[in-house]
Amino acid sequence: MPLRDLPRAPLALLATCVFFAICTEMLPVGLLPQIAAGLDISASTAGILVSSYAVIVAIMSVPIAAVAERWPRRRVLAVLLTTYAVSNLIFAAAPDDAVAMVARVIGGVAHAGFFAVAIAAAVSLVDPASSGRAIAVVLTGNAIALVFGVPLGTVLGTALGWRWAFVVIAVALSGLAVAVLRVLPPRDPPRTNARIPVMTGIRRPAVIVMSVVITLLALGHFTLYTYVSPLLLHDGITHPDVGAVLFGYGCGGVVGLVAAGWAVSRRPGLALVADIVLMCLSLVLAAVIGSSGGIIAVVALWGVAFGAFPTLTQTVMLRAAGDATDAASSLVNATTNLGIAGGALVGSRLLGVVAVPALGWIGAILVAASFLVYLVGVRRVNL
């Protein structure tokens, strides 16, 4: 199905939902000093509000998907978007870090279910051959949120106060919950075969192998990316210019997303292999480059690699899962967030022993391990 023939309104709506979901998850990173000051806590304690969110998503993605599969996806998405909105309002009104943590846990639960259901909903709207393109369209919301949404939210939170930034997101999510009920089909499209339960789908060998691949990829990436600002400062980038370099990373991510959208309808497995190699190369270069001009180029290249990551891993996982689409989407969500939390933990433990650039070598080793696991999967379980 050509891009122009895809169902534009539903996919654009889902992409917008993804945009605000990512803003909910990542905006605290941009407003961490203000949040810490507002709640009268240290920056490290405020950082737990970010990592705990990822842990909740990793733990809850599969169980929530298993429960949610009993209801139409439109209704589930509306409930999850409303839950997102409530979590943002509680966070905005939080008088202390305990209430803020409750808000982030609620948001993490919503996030755990949202991506599994949203991706499965997008795939259900198109024929199987067009599923990769549909996923790429929906995940543009992810790239745009990282490139524009989080920086703009940071500017808004800095100008008006961090609490107002989360109020704005909550209002937008409430409107999207209503829009989902109006735009998406009232019933899931009929399937040519039985819908495979989530708990059955996650036990398929190809799905297990891809889960390991995604976990290792995310671990490798976030072992260094969590500490990308210290890396840039180490290589000679000044504090005021860090944001501009990360904007270049985001622009690279858009390029990677577009390239992945083109590749998934042709050779998704080969494209994933190429992306793994590119990510590994980027991490090695980040470890050895050591200059301000060089690290700017490397970070942009790294952005291309990670920008392609969501679309390619989702598509290959869905292909591995066959008709177990809900299981596949929930596991991609769980394993990616396991990598986010695990990468931050690995990096924090190693930073007391090694310099920041050395984390690039650790990340590259983990990514290389994912490459080997994928090759085994191709040979043994027909990935």
Side-chain angles (χ1 to χ4, degrees), residues 3 6 28 33 66 68 77 86 123 141 144 162 220 260 267 300 315 328 345:
L3 188 61
L6 294 176
L77 283 172
V86 170
V123 170
I144 295 171
W162 65 270
R267 299 287 297 277
T315 302
L345 178 62

Side-chain angles (χ1 to χ4, degrees), residues 14 18-19 61 78 121 143 164 206 210 215 225 235-236 289 294 304 338 360 366 378:
L14 289 171
V18 168
F19 173 89
S61 288
W164 282 107
M210 271 306 298
T215 300
Y225 184 73
D235 285 354
I289 202 74
V304 174
L338 180 62
L366 290 166
V378 169

Side-chain angles (χ1 to χ4, degrees), residues 232-291:
L232 296 176
L233 296 172
H234 178 277
D235 285 354
I237 303 297
T238 62
H239 276 286
D241 292 333
V242 167
V245 176
L246 293 180
F247 180 77
Y249 170 90
C251 291
V254 173
V255 173
L257 177 66
V258 172
W262 175 85
V264 290
S265 61
R266 293 165 174 81
R267 299 287 297 277
L270 182 60
L272 178 59
V273 168
D275 192 52
I276 292 173
V277 172
L278 183 61
M279 188 178 295
C280 190
L281 174 63
S282 300
L283 289 165
V284 170
L285 290 174
V288 303
I289 202 74
S291 67

Side-chain angles (χ1 to χ4, degrees), residues 1-313:
M1 183 183 292
L3 188 61
R4 64 178 179 274
D5 294 334
L6 294 176
R8 296 181 182 179
L11 293 180
L13 176 60
L14 289 171
T16 306
C17 294
V18 168
F19 173 89
F20 283 102
I22 295 299
C23 286
T24 295
E25 180 179 22
M26 300 306 298
L27 186 55
V29 174
L31 293 172
L32 206 62
Q34 294 93 321
I35 292 171
L39 297 176
D40 194 23
I41 56 177
S42 67
S44 60
T45 301
I48 296 174
L49 297 173
V50 178
S51 59
S52 61
Y53 190 101
V55 171
I56 292 296
V57 176
I59 294 171
M60 297 300 296
S61 288
V62 172
I64 290 177
V67 173
E69 67 182 350
R70 303 172 188 174
W71 292 284
R73 295 187 180 112
R74 182 182 76 159
R75 188 183 306 170
V76 174
L77 283 172
V79 170
L80 292 173
L81 290 167
T82 302
T83 305
Y84 266 130
V86 170
S87 74
N88 278 292
L89 287 175
I90 295 174
F91 191 72
D96 52 42
D97 58 325
V99 176
M101 180 61 73
V102 170
R104 293 297 285 175
V105 168
I106 294 171
V109 170
H111 196 100
F114 171 76
F115 274 87
V117 179
I119 295 299
V123 170
S124 73
L125 294 170
V126 299
D127 59 76
S130 301
S131 60
R133 289 183 180 273
I135 292 169
V137 171
V138 171
L139 291 180
T140 56
N142 184 17
I144 295 171
L146 293 175
V147 177
F148 299 111
V150 174
L152 287 175
T154 301
V155 170
L156 176 66
T158 302
L160 301 180
W162 65 270
R163 297 179 188 274
W164 282 107
F166 290 95
V167 170
V168 170
I169 294 175
V171 172
L173 287 164
S174 300
L176 288 170
V178 175
V180 160
L181 292 173
R182 292 180 175 272
V183 174
L184 294 187
R187 295 180 180 83
D188 295 338
R191 302 171 63 90
T192 56
N193 45 24
R195 187 168 175 174
I196 303 299
V198 168
M199 301 311 293
T200 299
I202 64 174
R203 292 195 291 267
R204 291 183 171 179
V207 171
I208 293 172
V209 170
M210 271 306 298
S211 296
V212 175
V213 170
I214 295 170
T215 300
L216 289 170
L217 274 172
L219 269 172
H221 172 78
F222 283 101
T223 293
L224 181 60
Y225 184 73
T226 305
Y227 304 96
V228 66
S229 293
L231 172 70
L232 296 176
L233 296 172
H234 178 277
D235 285 354
I237 303 297
T238 62
H239 276 286
D241 292 333
V242 167
V245 176
L246 293 180
F247 180 77
Y249 170 90
C251 291
V254 173
V255 173
L257 177 66
V258 172
W262 175 85
V264 290
S265 61
R266 293 165 174 81
R267 299 287 297 277
L270 182 60
L272 178 59
V273 168
D275 192 52
I276 292 173
V277 172
L278 183 61
M279 188 178 295
C280 190
L281 174 63
S282 300
L283 289 165
V284 170
L285 290 174
V288 303
I289 202 74
S291 67
S292 57
I295 197 63
I296 291 172
V298 169
V299 166
L301 182 68
W302 190 9
V304 174
F306 194 73
F309 167 87
T311 299
L312 294 177
T313 51

